Amino acid sequence: MSGMRRAPRLPHGPVAIVSSPWIVVGAGVLVMVVLLFMALGAYRGRSPAPDGASRPPALPLPTLAEVPSAPGPASSPPPVRPGLSGRASGLPPSATAGSRSPSAGPSVGATGGASRSPSRAPQGQPAMSGRYGVVQSFDGGFIGEVSMVNRSAESRGWTVRLEFSGGRLVTAWVEGVPQGTVRQDGSGFTYVSGVDVRPGGSVSLRFHQERASGTPRVCTVDGVRCGGF
């Protein structure tokens, strides 16, 4: 029996795997199949959503009715008719400033106040009449005034002459119109207008006099004696 040979034993463990190359090949094929299935699964997960899946709503496109159009020319308001519209002036359409009757109302004089309609001065009455008065009195002096009205039918300038017994003129001025020129002398002063007074208009000259009587010795408008004293 010592001459009999024993059959060789198959190796176990890693040595058996290395000695059997078909096992290594089979394991590699199995790993490749697994990786292939994993790649197919990942690809299917990235594929577009099926028809039943929800999609984000699309923005609505503007229609022809929503497109703004260029503004057209503004329509002019209907004409105003007297007696029919709340903005009507009440005057007939044919009435104009040039054809207005003098009886429609008083005109405005040089001082901005109301005056009578233009008319020619009556016979014997001066075209520019004046009236003297004292506006305010105080210790040592007073404020005097000469009020004038143009009663002629044309615009006129004017000249006022005032004389007092003693005293001194402090200042003189015209109410509401451009100032004129004042000339003083020993017994009084003369004031020449700087603007004409229109027909029917009025104007007032005021002055401050010191140490003098409130009643002048002379008061004239264009050489005609003033009234009021």
Side-chain angles (χ1 to χ4, degrees), residues 1-228:
M1 297 189 57
S2 58
M4 295 179 64
R5 295 180 179 179
R6 294 181 180 180
R9 294 180 180 179
L10 296 173
H12 298 283
V15 178
I17 295 174
V18 172
S19 61
S20 301
W22 62 270
I23 296 177
V24 177
V25 174
V29 172
L30 181 61
V31 171
M32 292 180 63
V33 172
V34 172
L35 293 176
L36 181 60
F37 274 99
M38 292 177 64
L40 290 174
Y43 177 76
R44 288 181 179 180
R46 296 179 182 177
S47 61
D51 296 338
S54 61
R55 297 182 179 178
L59 296 176
L61 296 177
T63 61
L64 294 178
E66 297 175 355
V67 177
S69 59
S75 59
S76 59
V80 179
R81 296 183 178 180
L84 299 181
S85 172
R87 298 182 298 170
S89 62
L91 295 176
S94 59
T96 59
S99 60
R100 188 173 180 180
S101 172
S103 61
S107 59
V108 178
T111 61
S115 60
R116 291 184 295 274
S117 302
S119 60
R120 294 186 178 275
Q123 291 290 338
Q125 186 173 353
M128 183 72 70
S129 61
R131 185 174 183 83
Y132 176 83
V134 175
V135 177
Q136 182 181 3
S137 297
F138 44 86
D139 187 17
F142 65 94
I143 302 295
E145 178 184 62
V146 178
S147 300
M148 292 161 281
V149 178
N150 182 6
R151 302 185 184 279
S152 68
E154 58 184 8
S155 297
R156 299 179 60 89
W158 47 269
T159 301
V160 172
R161 174 65 183 174
L162 284 164
E163 296 182 10
F164 295 89
S165 300
R168 182 180 71 92
L169 174 68
V170 178
T171 184
W173 68 96
V174 182
E175 292 288 328
V177 297
Q179 302 302 304
T181 304
V182 60
R183 297 192 299 267
Q184 289 184 261
D185 52 43
S187 58
F189 67 93
T190 302
Y191 193 101
V192 180
S193 64
V195 63
D196 293 347
V197 182
R198 70 180 186 178
S202 62
V203 65
S204 295
L205 170 67
R206 289 189 177 185
F207 58 93
H208 177 192
Q209 189 80 11
E210 284 185 343
R211 299 186 301 273
S213 169
T215 303
R217 292 189 308 172
V218 174
C219 176
T220 61
V221 176
D222 293 341
V224 179
R225 180 181 173 85
C226 303

